[in-house]
C-alpha cells in the first residue's frame, strides 16, 4: 500500500488522486464510442431523455463516449432483440423500461429484463390519463362513468404489448371498465391521433400536457403518481380520485448478458456522473421527469420486484400463464 508523502507538491498530489479515482472504475472497452440503442422512434420521450444523457456524457472527461441509435419497431422489442444479440464488451448499451416486462408477459418476445445485465436506473416519469380536447367529459369520474355505461366503446390509443397499454389494463382491473384499444407504433403517433380527435384516450406525459391542455387541445384527468406535479398542480392524482394506482416509466441502462463486471461498474459510474449534472437535472425537470440513479444491484432488485408485480396482474387478468 502506498503511503502518503508529505513532501509531494499540491499539484502532484491532486493529479495522483485524480488518476487513482479515474482508474477505480476504468475498464477495457474496445471502442472510442459505444452505441446506446433506444428502441423507439426519434422525438419520443425515451429518445429525448437519452439524447440528453448522450450530450451530457460526451461533455465529460470520460471514455468511451456514447452515441444514441434508434431501432424502433415491435413496441420496443426490435431494439431489445438487437441489443440482446450484441457482443458483451461494453460497446453496446440498451435503454430500457417496463416495456421489457410487458412485451414478455404479452407473449411478444420470449425474454424479459433478466436477459440483460443491469447497469443503472436513471429516471422516472409518471404517466397521465389524457384525453382528446373534443371528448364530452371534463373529469376522470365522467370518463370512468362513460366507460362503464358503454364498455369497449371509448377509443384508446396504445402501443400493443407495451407500457402504454398495460397501464390501462391495470386501470381496467381496478375500475371494472373496458376500453377499445387502437394500435399505434409509438408515442408521437398516439399524440398526433389524440390531437386530431381520432382517438379519445391515451397516456400522456407532463410536457405534452403542459403544452396542449392550456390551449384546450388535450385534457389531463389524472396523474398516476404519489403526488401532484408542480408543473400541473390542478391535475389530481389517481389516489386522490379513489383509484389506488401509481404508474411511471422508470428508464435505465442495461448491457448484453455476460458483460464483465468491471465494464458494468465503469458505465454505472459514468451515468452516475451524468445524473448529477445540474443542467441535465434541470432539463429532466422541465420534462416532468425525476432523475433517479440506482446502481446495478439495486436496479436488478427493482426490476425483479417490478416484474413480480406485473406478472401477478397479468396472471389475474388471464394475459399470462406460467
Amino acid at each position: 500500500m502506498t503511503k502518503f508523502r508529505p513532501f509531494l507538491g499540491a499539484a502532484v498530489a491532486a493529479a495522483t488522486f485524480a488518476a487513482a479515482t479515474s482508474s477505480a472504475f476504468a475498464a477495457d472497452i474496445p471502442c472510442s464510442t459505444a452505441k446506446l440503442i433506444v428502441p423507439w422512434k426519434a422525438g419520443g420521450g425515451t429518445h429525448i431523455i437519452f439524447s440528453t444523457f448522450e450530450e451530457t456524457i460526451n461533455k465529460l472527461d470520460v471514455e468511451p463516449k456514447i452515441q444514441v441509435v434508434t431501432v424502433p419497431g415491435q413496441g420496443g422489442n426490435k431494439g431489445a432483440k438487437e441489443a440482446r444479440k450484441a457482443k458483451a464488451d461494453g460497446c453496446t448499451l440498451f435503454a430500457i423500461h417496463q416495456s421489457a416486462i410487458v412485451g414478455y408477459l404479452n407473449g411478444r418476445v420470449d425474454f424479459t429484463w433478466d436477459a440483460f445485465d443491469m447497469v443503472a436506473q436513471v429516471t422516472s416519469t409518471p404517466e397521465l390519463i389524457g384525453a382528446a380536447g373534443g371528448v364530452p367529459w371534463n373529469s376522470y369520474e365522467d370518463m370512468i362513468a362513460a366507460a362503464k355505461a358503454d364498455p369497449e366503446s371509448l377509443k384508446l390509443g396504445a402501443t400493443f404489448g407495451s407500457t402504454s397499454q398495460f397501464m390501462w389494463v391495470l386501470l381496467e382491473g381496478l375500475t371494472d371498465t373496458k376500453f377499445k384499444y387502437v394500435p399505434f407504433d409509438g408515442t408521437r403517433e398516439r399524440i398526433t391521433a389524440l390531437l386530431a380527435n381520432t382517438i379519445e384516450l391515451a397516456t400522456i406525459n407532463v410536457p405534452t400536457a403542459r403544452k396542449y391542455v392550456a390551449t384546450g387541445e388535450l385534457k389531463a384527468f389524472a396523474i398516476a403518481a404519489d403526488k401532484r406535479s408542480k408543473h400541473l398542480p390542478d391535475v389530481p392524482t389517481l389516489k386522490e380520485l379513489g383509484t389506488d394506482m401509481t404508474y411511471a416509466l422508470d428508464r435505465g441502462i442495461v448491457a448484453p448478458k455476460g458483460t464483465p463486471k468491471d465494464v458494468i461498474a465503469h458505465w454505472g459510474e459514468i451515468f452516475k456522473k451524468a445524473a448529477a449534472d445540474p443542467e441535465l437535472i434541470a432539463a429532466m425537470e422541465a420534462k416532468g421527469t425525476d432523475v433517479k440513479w440506482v446502481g446495478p444491484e439495486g436496479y436488478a432488485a427493482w426490476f425483479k420486484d417490478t416484474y413480480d408485480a406485473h406478472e401477478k396482474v397479468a396472471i389475474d387478468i388471464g394475459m399470462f400463464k406460467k
Side-chain angles (χ1 to χ4, degrees):
M1 180 177 177
T2 303
K3 295 181 180 180
F4 174 69
R5 294 180 174 86
F7 58 86
L8 283 175
V12 176
T16 302
F17 176 78
T21 303
S22 176
S23 64
F25 58 89
D28 183 17
I29 302 176
C31 56
S32 59
T33 302
K35 177 168 65 174
L36 172 55
I37 295 175
V38 171
W40 309 98
K41 288 184 178 180
T46 302
H47 175 256
I48 291 170
I49 284 171
F50 285 107
S51 292
T52 306
F53 270 91
E54 173 192 44
E55 182 180 354
T56 302
I57 287 171
N58 290 344
K59 289 178 181 179
L60 297 175
D61 183 21
V62 297
E63 294 290 343
K65 304 301 184 184
I66 64 169
Q67 180 178 3
V68 168
V69 177
T70 56
V71 183
Q74 303 171 15
N77 293 318
K78 184 177 179 180
K81 292 173 185 176
E82 181 172 321
R84 188 188 182 202
K85 293 186 297 184
K87 192 173 181 180
D89 59 0
C91 290
T92 301
L93 301 171
F94 181 52
I96 198 171
H97 57 51
Q98 290 99 317
S99 65
I101 295 172
V102 178
Y104 173 73
L105 294 174
N106 269 334
R108 301 192 71 182
V109 288
D110 60 359
F111 62 92
T112 184
W113 69 275
D114 55 2
F116 300 95
D117 285 333
M118 302 296 103
V119 173
Q121 183 178 358
V122 292
T123 66
S124 183
T125 309
E127 296 277 39
L128 288 98
I129 303 294
V135 300
W137 337 292
N138 291 309
S139 69
Y140 173 77
E141 293 90 342
D142 289 346
M143 180 200 80
I144 294 297
K148 287 184 176 181
D150 194 0
E152 297 187 74
S153 66
L154 276 59
K155 291 181 288 185
L156 190 159
T159 301
F160 282 15
S162 188
T163 53
S164 60
Q165 181 188 23
F166 199 81
M167 194 195 92
W168 291 95
V169 171
L170 292 173
L171 190 69
E172 286 178 331
L174 291 170
T175 58
D176 192 27
T177 53
K178 288 290 182 183
F179 299 98
K180 181 179 180 179
Y181 290 95
V182 181
F184 290 91
D185 191 45
T187 303
R188 179 179 289 182
E189 291 81 5
R190 291 198 307 274
I191 299 303
T192 299
L194 205 59
L195 289 167
N197 287 274
T198 304
I199 56 174
E200 295 165 296
L201 298 168
T203 58
I204 59 177
N205 54 35
V206 170
T208 300
R210 290 176 70 190
K211 184 175 182 180
Y212 294 112
V213 169
T215 64
E217 294 172 88
L218 293 181
K219 296 179 181 181
F221 292 143
I223 186 168
D226 286 321
K227 60 182 180 180
R228 296 190 184 199
S229 167
K230 66 180 180 181
H231 300 294
L232 297 165
D234 294 331
V235 177
T237 67
L238 282 172
K239 289 184 176 182
E240 287 178 69
L241 298 170
T243 302
D244 188 11
M245 173 180 163
T246 61
Y247 203 87
L249 283 184
D250 294 289
R251 296 176 172 93
I253 300 292
V254 297
K257 200 74 172 177
T259 299
K261 289 185 178 181
D262 63 329
V263 174
I264 294 292
H266 177 87
W267 280 118
E269 287 293 332
I270 286 178
F271 276 91
K272 185 176 183 179
K273 279 189 173 185
D277 181 84
E279 291 185 8
L280 181 140
I281 292 170
M284 293 298 106
E285 183 177 320
K287 294 175 175 60
T289 293
D290 296 325
V291 175
K292 184 181 179 182
W293 186 90
V294 179
E297 291 185 6
Y299 193 27
W302 174 88
F303 242 126
K304 183 182 184 306
D305 290 344
T306 302
Y307 173 84
D308 290 345
H310 278 68
E311 184 190 74
K312 182 180 184 303
V313 172
I315 291 172
D316 288 346
I317 64 175
M319 177 189 289
F320 180 73
K321 294 181 180 180
K322 273 194 167 182

